[in-house]
Structure formats: C-alpha cells, structure tokens
Amino acid sequence: MRLFTVDAFTDTAFQGNPAAVCLLDTPVTEHWMQSVATEMNLSETAFLLGDSLRWFTPAVEVTLCGHATLATAHILYSTGAADGQLEFNTASGTLTVNRRPDGMITMDFPAKEVTPAEAPPGLEKALGATPVRVGKSQLDLLVELESEEAVSRLTPDITALNAVDARGIIVTAPGTETDFVSRFFAPRVGVPEDPVTGSAHCALAPYWSARFGRPSLVGAQLSARGGLVHVTHAGDRVHLAGRAVTMMSGTLHIS
C-alpha cells in the first residue's frame, strides 16, 4: 500500500501540519488503521479506499479533519491519480475538493456555528489567560482572547485542558497581519496541540465572518510550525483553501 507524508496548509517544507496518507488497495479493519495511525504518530493519518476517506489520530478515529483531507487531495493531484473535482465520502458527509488554477486546493466543509457558552470551571486557570468571549460549536469549545500576542504566548496546562468536555479547545483573537489567529488544543483525542487545524476553521470562519461582516478571511494558526488557512463562509458550508508539500513517499510493508 502506498504511504505518504504531507505538510498541509503551507508551501514550505517543515511547516504547516504534517499528515500521513495511506492509499488502500483493499478493505482493512478499523483496528489495523488505528495501529498504522499510532505507528505514524502524526496528528492525523488519512485512509482512502476508492472515494471513502477516514481519519485517525494516534488514539482515536475522528469525524472531520481538514489538513489530512487537504493532504489526501494533494497526493491524488500531484501523482496524477486524479484531476478535476474530487468527492470524498466521510463520516461528515460528502466533502467536495477542487484545485484552483493557482494550485491552491479548496475544500467544501460543513460550517460549525458557534453559540455563546459559559466558561467551564477551571478553563481560565488551565489556559493561563482570561477569555474575552467563550462559545461552543458542535465539536469544540472556542475561546477568544484579547489579542494575537495573548494567543501566541499561551502555555496552557494540557493535563487540565483534558478535563474540558469538548473534542478540542480553539483559542483565537483578531490578527495583526491576518484577519484572525488561532491555536488548537485537543488532548482528549491524543493531540496536545495541533499545528494547523482545518476542522477548527469550520467554526472560526462563521465566528469571524459575523464579526468582520464579510465572508472571505485569512487565518493564521500560531503553533510552532504555523500555517495559513483561507476561509469563505457560505451559509451552512465553509470553503477552506490551502497549499501542501509532499515530504515522503513509500510503500507500507507489514509481514
């Protein structure tokens, strides 16, 4: 089986979010996919069989992943295995992907609207920062801080964040060089901090689009690796666009 690693949401090697992509020849068990994802030890490993796409962290299967979808599409386009529009059948429905003339890949994802919420007990102490606003999407808790600097300098208590009842915690603020910035912590699914999180931007896009009064924005995720996500909020959908770089390709051998 062909196996690749890809840096997603970047055009520069060793930046963005690394994902593994496994192109399956035949059906395999969920246990097998989880074992490969644990072995790869990246925030996500994508498994593609025909048009069926699934994503696994080192610990669990997830229902939506942006950067591993981008990585999968990038591999199909760059190897010549596909051209034109792609459709992936996933746990979050059919996801449509297109490659633009400038080489950027655009993904059509479900929007995750954010509703106001009370800060869970212990959140402020775990983050080490005082929220300006707190909201909750279908998947994650969203915490707005006062500034980009406040997001950048966060050193949260990851063990304490694990007690928060959400897939992950999105921390965000208005940007200085981009429209908004964010970081994403998901210890509950085996990812202490994710470098660049496409699925989190399904919530960030409608949240900041409403604040700025326009649909198209650019977000920067301020992890150590960093990356850019171009977003367009379109009703109940979000279009996420980015670039990717193939880092490694090979064959998966299991004796």
Side-chain angles (χ1 to χ4, degrees):
M1 301 179 192
R2 300 180 69 187
L3 185 67
F4 304 82
T5 60
V6 176
D7 287 346
F9 291 116
T10 183
D11 58 4
T12 304
F14 310 116
Q15 295 184 19
N17 199 354
V21 178
C22 185
L23 302 182
L24 299 171
D25 299 321
T26 58
V28 296
T29 66
E30 184 176 311
H31 174 75
W32 186 91
M33 287 186 280
Q34 185 62 73
S35 296
V36 172
T38 303
E39 180 77 12
M40 296 306 297
N41 200 32
L42 298 173
S43 60
E44 301 285 350
T45 299
F47 296 89
L48 182 68
L49 178 63
D51 61 1
S52 176
L53 181 62
R54 297 174 71 173
W55 313 278
F56 288 76
T57 78
V60 298
E61 183 175 9
V62 297
T63 59
L64 186 64
C65 179
H67 84 281
T69 303
L70 174 59
T72 303
H74 167 77
I75 289 300
L76 295 177
Y77 287 136
S78 64
T79 61
D83 192 16
Q85 181 170 288
L86 302 172
E87 288 188 352
F88 297 125
N89 289 321
T90 78
S92 292
T94 300
L95 304 180
T96 303
V97 179
N98 287 279
R99 181 169 55 176
R100 300 188 335 199
D102 62 3
M104 193 172 289
I105 294 171
T106 300
M107 305 175 290
D108 183 355
F109 273 34
K112 304 294 184 183
E113 295 291 340
V114 177
T115 56
E118 294 292 328
L123 175 67
E124 184 172 337
K125 182 178 180 181
L127 285 176
T130 301
V132 173
R133 293 179 182 85
V134 177
K136 194 172 181 63
S137 74
Q138 180 186 7
L139 297 173
D140 305 309
L141 193 71
L142 185 145
V143 179
E144 183 183 341
L145 300 185
E146 62 181 355
S147 67
E148 177 174 325
E149 182 185 1
V151 174
S152 179
R153 67 171 181 251
L154 273 184
T155 55
D157 182 337
I158 297 297
T159 300
L161 284 182
N162 191 50
V164 176
D165 185 17
R167 179 194 69 154
I169 296 91
I170 307 166
V171 184
T172 188
T176 54
E177 297 183 3
T178 57
D179 294 303
F180 62 89
V181 298
S182 66
R183 291 173 70 184
F184 185 73
F185 306 96
R188 280 200 165 195
V189 294
V191 184
E193 180 172 4
D194 198 34
V196 192
T197 315
S199 61
H201 285 75
C202 292
L204 288 163
Y207 182 80
W208 287 112
S209 177
R211 292 281 295 280
F212 287 118
R214 51 190 169 88
S216 296
L217 306 165
V218 179
Q221 198 152 327
L222 302 182
S223 63
R225 294 175 63 100
L228 291 176
V229 184
H230 297 251
V231 303
T232 300
H233 182 216
D236 63 351
R237 307 298 293 179
V238 170
H239 301 152
L240 309 175
R243 301 183 185 276
V245 180
T246 302
M247 297 298 295
M248 191 186 317
S249 65
T251 306
L252 180 62
H253 295 279
I254 299 179
S255 59

